[in-house]
Amino acid sequence: MSIFATRLKELRNERQLSMKQLAKMINVTDGAISNWENDVNEPKISYLIRLAEFFHVSADYLLGLKD
């Protein structure tokens, strides 16, 4: 599993959000969240920015470039 997939899942679980709840909050489908967490594909940059803003972390953190 990629660092991105792991960190996304950890952040979502820390907030006790379902995939569906997170998807609604950042305006994507729950299938997109599932695909990202299961390393099927990666989000485009605009969604990465939404995730970083939502979780109050940097995109670098999500991508595994910073701890």
Side-chain angles (χ1 to χ4, degrees):
M1 186 178 287
S2 72
I3 292 173
F4 171 77
T6 301
R7 288 192 173 169
L8 176 58
K9 189 171 188 174
E10 286 173 354
L11 288 166
R12 182 178 60 77
N13 287 332
E14 283 173 8
R15 299 254 177 125
Q16 298 179 336
L17 295 170
S18 68
M19 288 183 191
K20 189 172 211 150
Q21 290 170 317
L22 176 57
K24 185 175 183 180
M25 291 177 179
I26 67 163
N27 200 29
V28 298
T29 66
D30 52 327
I33 302 294
S34 177
N35 285 341
W36 299 340
E37 287 189 8
N38 290 302
D39 232 0
V40 173
N41 58 33
E42 297 172 341
K44 60 184 186 176
I45 291 175
S46 61
Y47 296 137
L48 181 64
I49 292 167
R50 288 183 201 178
L51 289 166
E53 289 174 346
F54 178 80
F55 287 116
H56 303 288
V57 298
S58 69
D60 284 352
Y61 174 79
L62 285 170
L63 297 172
L65 301 173
K66 283 189 175 181
D67 289 333

